[in-house]
């Protein structure tokens, strides 16, 4: 792994790298240090202080010193192993003499099992094997439960194991068990949600904590394991036991994810991500073709929901594609669960700005909803060629946003109106599904510059979403953000627009995280408003700060990077930094195909900068190329505002270079041209703002 990829690209200070890979010293520009076992005397003191906390060094006898010296040498004076051995002795599991004898026996039996385990690791591992074997042999409910929990912990991430995982699994047990997993007694007990069950869980966790096999943080109410302990707990199981424990762990995590994805549980679900990834990595090793059962497919689906909610759409996409392949094969393409998974995949494609795949998937969902009617009664109420039910109109609403993203906004408007009207009739104006359709239509109208229509929809949607979900729910934040963008586009109420988007940005940092894509998009939208208010340098600084974040989280080729660079170019223009703006726009044009709906606007901005730099020849060539494309392929009408801007820019170039006759001929061809140099429509796009959750 190239760890330098994770180093900050700017700033000052030092980076401390700890690694077992000796090649890491290549990055040691300020020096390196190799850690070995402790000094023998320090190691002996650590062992005895851990084992006999009530005695100082003056109370130790010669026999203790000699036994400690022998055990310390056997342990290689490794601090971790010494501390664990001392904890075992302190809890009276074994005396110092007994521990030394048992340790040597266990280690000798462990060494032949795997030549891949180093002597140092064997020394440390044996110090945990001793107390764990003691737990296994001592027959009691709490000890048996502790062993089962240890097997589950081995497949979770070793850090941040919250009690909430068990509580949430119990809370969701009232729903249908979708995982199909047979759980150990301790988990089945905890799912009963009784105080007795929770006390039993805490007792089992206490056994592991008392034997220093896990650590408990009372501030966060979470448990953790040392990475070496974590690996040992898994490796000591045979393959069948590992697969059984892994399936239980996957099922436990899936049950902790509410099917309703309530906003109140968003912070908890974010903590599940490292545990999900730990399980998925193990699944890749044990069953690379997963999911293989309906239950495991249901668990994977819930994992994908969490990935989507956290903005990890590439990971969600991988799981959703696996899920659809499985369900299509075993349940059929028209099964409700398959359609639901296809819908979620469409949302993921949308968030990834994969326009072609989004439209393709959303059309599949619309087609499925059109011909799969919710009941036989619907056939008697409506003719087959006129579907009139909620799931169909909801699918049309999703297609509306897909077409908006593709720049097909006239079609998006028609479909959006149909979806909104149908849902208003069937569900009424206060249902969240209706509000979603109204919002999608409003966004399309905004980008068609039908601002009054967009405003008339956004205001009631915002009012009702605040009432239903609260001020900082993701859907409410999305609406507030879009209203701020609308005010910015109209160049009205810019102070209100700035306050709206600033508040959304701060809320998204808390609710979604500072590096979530929607948070980064709010930064982009705020930069537009700042530019409109004449604060280009401030906007440029904000965008420069997030460029590395966008590159790391979304990638250099993601449209979100194009959007950020485009807005940065606009901020440079607003700041009079023409050279920087030209360089940035040149980068954008290299990655923007000529058939992209916003290519004309982008090159118009590029021409605007070239005119400011008096690069007349290059600016003229770019204008001529665009107009020739419009004439030949009819990509835009001659009276389209984008076409007119290019024509006006070319006319300005003709006049500036002493060719008034050519400027007049151009005006005769494009009769909708205005007088003067058009810069009012300068835009860099894509113009997307926000997005949608699952």
């Amino acid at each position: 792994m190239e760890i330098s990829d994770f180093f900050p690209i700017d700033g000052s200070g030092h980076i401390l790298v700890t690694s077992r890979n000796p090649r890491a010293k290549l990055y040691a520009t300020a020096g390196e240090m190799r850690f070995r076992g402790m000094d023998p005397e320090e190691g002996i003191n650590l062992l005895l202080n851990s084992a006999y906390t009530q005695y100082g060094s003056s109370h130790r006898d010669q026999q203790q010193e000699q036994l400690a010296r022998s055990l310390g040498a056997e342990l290689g004076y490794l601090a971790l192993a010494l501390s664990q051995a001392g904890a075992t002795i302190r809890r009276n599991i074994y005396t110092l003499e007994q521990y030394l004898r048992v340790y040597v026996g266990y280690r000798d039996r462990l060494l032949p099992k795997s030549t891949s385990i180093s002597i140092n690791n064997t020394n440390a591992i044996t110090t945990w094997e001793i107390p764990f074997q003691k737990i296994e042999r001592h027959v009691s409910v709490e000890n048996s439960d502790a062993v089962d929990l240890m097997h589950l912990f081995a497949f979770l991430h070793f850090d941040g194991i919250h009690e909430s995982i068990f509580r949430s699994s119990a809370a969701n047990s009232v729903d249908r068990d979708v995982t199909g997993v047979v759980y150990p007694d301790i988990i089945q007990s905890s799912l009963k949600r009784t105080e007795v069950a929770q006390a039993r869980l805490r007792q089992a966790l206490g056994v592991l904590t008392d034997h220093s096999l896990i650590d408990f943080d009372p501030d966060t109410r979470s448990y953790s394991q040392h990475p070496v302990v974590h690996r040992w707990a898994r490796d000591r199981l045979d393959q069948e036991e590992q697969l059984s424990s892994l399936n239980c762990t996957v099922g436990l995590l899936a049950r902790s994810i509410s099917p309703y994805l309530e906003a109140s549980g968003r912070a908890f679900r974010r903590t599940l991500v490292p545990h999900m990834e730990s399980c998925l990595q193990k699944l890749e090793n044990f069953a690379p073709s997963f999911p293989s059962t309906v239950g495991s497919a249901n668990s994977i689906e819930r994992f994908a929901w969490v990935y989507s909610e956290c903005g990890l759409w590439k990971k969600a996409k991988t799981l959703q594609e696996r899920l659809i392949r499985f369900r299509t094969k075993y349940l059929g393409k028209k099964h409700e669960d398959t359609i639901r998974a296809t819908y979620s995949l469409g949302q993921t494609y949308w968030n990834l700005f994969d326009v072609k795949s989004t439209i393709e998937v959303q059309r599949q969902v619309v087609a499925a909803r059109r011909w799969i009617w919710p009941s036989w009664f619907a056939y008697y109420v409506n003719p087959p060629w006129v579907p009139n039910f909620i799931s169909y109109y909801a699918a049309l609403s999703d297609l509306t946003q897909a077409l908006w993203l593709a720049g097909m906004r006239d079609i998006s408007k028609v479909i959006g109106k149909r979806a909104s009207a149908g849902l208003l009739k069937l569900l009424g104006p206060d249902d969240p599904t209706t509000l979603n359709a109204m919002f999608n239509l409003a966004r399309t109208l905004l980008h068609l510059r039908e601002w009054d229509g967009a405003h008339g929809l956004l205001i009631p949607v915002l009012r009702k979403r605040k009432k239903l979900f609260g001020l900082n729910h993701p859907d409410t934040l999305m609406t507030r953000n879009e209203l701020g963008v609308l005010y910015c586009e109209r160049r009205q109420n810019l102070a209100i627009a700035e306050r709206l988007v600033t508040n959304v940005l701060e809320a998204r940092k808390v609710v979604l995280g500072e590096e979530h894509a929607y948070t980064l998009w709010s930064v982009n939208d705020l930069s537009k408003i700042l530019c409109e208010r004449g604060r280009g340098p401030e906007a440029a600084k904000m965008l420069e700060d997030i460029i590395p974040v966008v590159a790391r989280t979304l990638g250099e080729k993601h449209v979100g990077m194009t959007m950020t660079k485009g807005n940065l170019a606009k901020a440079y223009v607003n700041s009079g930094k023409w050279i920087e703006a030209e360089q940035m726009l040149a980068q954008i044009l290299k990655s923007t195909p000529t058939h992209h709906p916003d290519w004309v606007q982008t090159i118009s901005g590029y021409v605007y900068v070239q005119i400011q730099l008096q690069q007349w020849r290059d600016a003229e060539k770019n204008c001529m190329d665009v107009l020739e494309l419009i004439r030949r392929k009819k990509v835009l009408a001659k009276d389209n505002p984008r076409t007119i801007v290019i024509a006006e820019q070319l006319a300005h170039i003709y006049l500036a270079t002493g060719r008034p006759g050519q400027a007049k001929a151009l005006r005769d061809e494009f009769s909708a041209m205005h007088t003067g140099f058009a810069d009012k429509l300068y835009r860099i796009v894509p113009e997307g703002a926000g997005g949608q959750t699952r």
Side-chain angles (χ1 to χ4, degrees):
M1 181 175 61
E2 186 64 42
I3 62 175
S4 61
D5 292 342
F6 300 94
F7 294 168
I9 61 174
D10 54 13
S12 58
H14 296 83
I15 300 173
L16 177 64
V17 177
T18 59
S19 174
R20 297 174 65 183
N21 186 348
R23 296 179 183 177
K25 64 184 179 183
L26 294 172
Y27 308 102
T29 57
E32 58 164 306
M33 178 181 296
R34 184 173 182 180
F35 291 95
R36 301 180 184 274
M38 299 179 70
D39 175 82
E41 291 304 320
E42 291 178 336
I44 291 169
N45 285 331
L46 174 61
L47 173 61
L48 292 174
N49 286 333
S50 300
Y52 306 107
T53 54
Q54 70 273 35
Y55 298 117
S57 57
S58 59
H59 291 82
R60 297 171 189 154
D61 57 38
Q62 188 173 359
Q63 184 182 9
Q64 281 182 333
E65 293 275 0
Q66 186 58 42
L67 288 170
R69 192 174 302 278
S70 299
L71 181 55
E74 290 287 348
L75 296 174
Y77 298 107
L78 296 174
L80 187 62
L82 291 166
S83 297
Q84 177 65 32
T88 302
I89 296 166
R90 184 173 68 250
R91 292 178 175 84
N92 296 318
I93 297 174
Y94 290 109
T95 65
L96 182 55
E97 182 178 5
Q98 289 171 332
Y99 190 97
L100 177 59
R101 184 172 61 254
V102 172
Y103 167 82
V104 173
Y106 275 132
R107 189 194 62 175
D108 291 343
R109 288 197 296 272
L110 181 63
L111 272 173
K113 288 186 178 181
S114 175
T115 56
S116 63
I117 303 177
S118 68
I119 293 295
N120 284 345
N121 278 350
T122 301
N123 291 337
I125 287 170
T126 307
T127 63
W128 295 300
E129 188 67 36
I130 291 172
F132 193 72
Q133 290 274 0
K134 189 89 171 183
I135 296 173
E136 286 185 316
R137 287 199 307 271
H138 188 252
V139 179
S140 69
V141 172
E142 62 184 30
N143 281 11
S144 178
D145 290 344
V147 171
D148 288 334
L149 284 181
M150 194 67 176
H151 294 165
L152 297 181
F153 275 40
F155 293 93
L156 296 169
H157 190 271
F158 57 79
D159 195 22
I161 305 171
H162 290 266
E163 290 181 353
S164 307
I165 294 174
F166 302 95
R167 287 201 302 270
S168 296
S169 295
N172 294 329
S173 65
V174 295
D175 298 312
R176 177 171 60 99
D177 183 8
V178 299
T179 63
V181 174
V182 178
Y183 298 99
D185 288 345
I186 178 61
I187 300 302
Q188 292 188 37
S189 172
S190 67
L191 295 178
K192 295 178 182 178
R193 296 194 299 165
T194 64
E195 185 57 41
V196 173
Q198 294 305 305
R200 177 177 172 179
L201 175 65
R202 287 192 291 269
Q203 286 175 344
L205 291 168
V207 170
L208 297 177
T209 305
D210 288 344
H211 288 80
S212 298
L213 293 169
I214 61 174
D215 294 317
F216 177 66
D217 184 343
D219 295 330
T220 61
R221 306 295 300 175
S222 67
Y223 296 85
S224 62
Q225 283 183 317
H226 190 280
V228 179
V229 181
H230 185 254
R231 176 67 182 269
W232 156 78
R234 185 170 65 253
D235 289 348
R236 70 186 304 277
L237 302 174
D238 62 36
Q239 188 165 349
E240 185 177 346
E241 290 172 329
Q242 288 193 33
L243 186 57
S244 175
S245 296
L246 174 58
N247 287 333
C248 286
T249 308
V250 170
L252 179 69
L253 289 174
R255 288 188 70 116
S256 72
I257 300 167
S258 168
Y260 310 108
L261 295 183
E262 299 91 344
S264 59
R266 183 180 293 268
F268 161 69
R269 289 190 293 274
R270 200 182 303 166
T271 68
L272 296 180
V273 171
H275 303 301
M276 288 163 36
E277 292 185 339
S278 176
C279 288
L280 290 172
Q281 288 172 2
K282 307 303 182 299
L283 277 175
E284 284 285 0
N285 296 331
F286 282 104
S289 60
F290 75 92
S292 57
T293 65
V294 172
S296 62
N298 293 334
S299 296
I300 294 305
E301 182 176 39
R302 295 195 178 198
F303 284 12
W305 293 349
V306 175
Y307 276 144
S308 294
E309 185 179 51
C310 295
L312 302 170
W313 294 303
K314 290 182 180 179
K315 295 182 178 181
K317 169 176 166 283
T318 300
L319 293 184
Q320 288 163 346
E321 289 174 341
R322 280 178 175 264
L323 179 65
I324 291 171
R325 285 195 298 269
F326 173 83
R327 285 182 172 169
T328 301
K329 180 177 180 180
Y330 291 98
L331 301 179
K333 186 180 294 186
K334 296 182 180 180
H335 192 279
E336 178 60 32
D337 289 351
T338 308
I339 296 173
R340 185 180 66 245
T342 304
Y343 159 77
S344 296
L345 178 61
Q347 297 295 309
T348 299
Y349 282 143
W350 190 90
N351 282 305
L352 288 170
F353 281 79
D354 187 344
V355 178
K356 182 179 179 181
S357 297
T358 301
I359 294 177
E360 180 182 346
V361 168
Q362 295 295 2
R363 282 176 172 165
Q364 289 176 14
V365 175
V366 169
R369 293 302 187 195
R370 181 182 180 88
W371 299 113
I372 303 175
W373 290 45
S375 66
W376 285 105
F377 177 75
Y379 280 103
Y380 294 101
V381 177
N382 301 287
W385 56 88
V386 184
N388 184 39
F389 43 87
I390 295 168
S391 59
Y392 174 70
Y393 288 125
L396 285 182
S397 175
D398 295 328
L399 183 58
T400 299
Q401 69 168 0
L403 294 169
W404 164 80
L405 181 65
M408 303 165 65
R409 286 157 192 162
D410 290 326
I411 304 175
S412 175
K413 174 183 172 181
V414 173
I415 294 177
K417 284 186 173 181
R418 185 178 177 188
S420 297
L423 291 169
L424 278 167
K425 181 179 178 180
L426 295 175
L427 295 175
D430 297 330
D431 189 89
T433 306
T434 305
L435 296 177
N436 191 48
M438 293 170 63
F439 174 82
N440 289 336
L441 176 59
R443 183 163 46 193
T444 296
L445 295 177
L446 189 161
H447 289 90
L448 285 171
R449 304 175 71 80
E450 297 182 22
W451 292 324
D452 289 338
H455 189 268
L457 289 170
L458 286 174
I459 292 299
V461 170
L462 177 58
R463 186 182 306 117
K464 290 170 183 177
R465 280 182 168 176
K466 285 169 63 176
K467 181 179 179 180
L468 288 171
F469 307 134
L471 188 64
N472 290 332
H473 186 277
D475 288 353
T476 310
L477 294 175
M478 192 192 316
T479 315
R480 292 165 62 193
N481 196 90
E482 202 71 14
L483 185 60
V485 172
L486 172 61
Y487 289 145
C488 179
E489 291 293 316
R490 302 186 77 164
R491 292 165 178 78
Q492 295 176 356
N493 303 318
L494 289 176
I496 296 176
E498 181 180 350
R499 186 166 67 250
L500 274 170
V501 178
T502 298
N503 290 341
V504 169
L505 173 59
E506 294 306 315
R508 279 179 165 171
K509 287 180 179 178
V510 175
V511 175
L512 303 177
E514 294 197 11
E515 296 191 353
H516 193 284
Y518 295 176
T519 306
L520 301 176
W521 289 336
S522 285
V523 174
N524 275 273
D525 291 330
L526 181 57
S527 75
K528 297 177 186 177
I529 298 170
L530 294 178
C531 285
E532 292 296 337
R533 304 198 75 186
R535 290 151 61 187
E538 186 178 344
K541 177 66 169 62
M542 291 174 57
L543 294 166
E544 288 170 344
D545 288 345
I546 69 168
I547 286 281
V549 180
V550 176
R552 186 176 69 254
T553 58
L554 299 179
E556 288 286 350
K557 295 182 180 180
H558 192 275
V559 71
M561 176 61 84
T562 304
M563 177 178 66
T564 304
K565 288 182 176 179
N567 287 320
L568 180 56
K570 183 176 181 179
Y572 285 149
V573 167
N574 195 269
S575 306
K577 295 183 176 181
W578 304 108
I579 299 296
E580 291 87 344
E582 182 198 24
Q583 293 171 347
M584 190 64 67
L585 286 167
Q587 291 180 27
I588 296 169
L589 285 171
K590 285 181 180 179
S591 60
T592 306
T594 56
H595 63 267
H596 191 281
D598 297 314
W599 176 76
V600 174
Q601 284 187 340
T602 305
I603 203 164
S604 174
Y606 190 46
V607 169
Y608 177 78
V609 173
Q610 289 177 321
I611 290 174
Q612 301 301 321
L613 293 170
Q614 297 187 358
Q615 296 175 356
W616 305 112
R617 182 178 300 176
D618 291 338
E620 180 179 349
K621 181 181 183 305
N622 285 326
C623 288
M624 294 291 288
D625 289 345
V626 175
L627 293 178
E628 180 60 26
L629 185 66
I630 291 171
R631 294 186 186 104
R632 184 163 41 87
K633 294 192 175 181
K634 305 290 192 296
V635 293
L636 291 174
K638 284 192 172 183
D639 61 350
N640 187 286
R642 301 183 186 186
T643 306
I644 297 304
V645 170
I646 292 289
E648 289 181 351
Q649 289 176 323
L650 182 56
H652 177 82
I653 294 168
Y654 286 152
L655 293 173
T657 54
R659 291 176 285 171
Q662 289 177 279
K664 182 180 183 303
L666 194 64
R667 292 187 185 281
D668 291 340
E669 180 181 1
F670 297 93
S671 57
M673 287 174 60
H674 307 286
T675 56
F677 172 41
D679 63 354
K680 58 184 176 298
L681 290 180
Y682 173 76
R683 293 286 186 275
I684 305 293
V685 284
E687 296 181 3
Q692 285 202 312
T693 56
R694 183 183 76 85

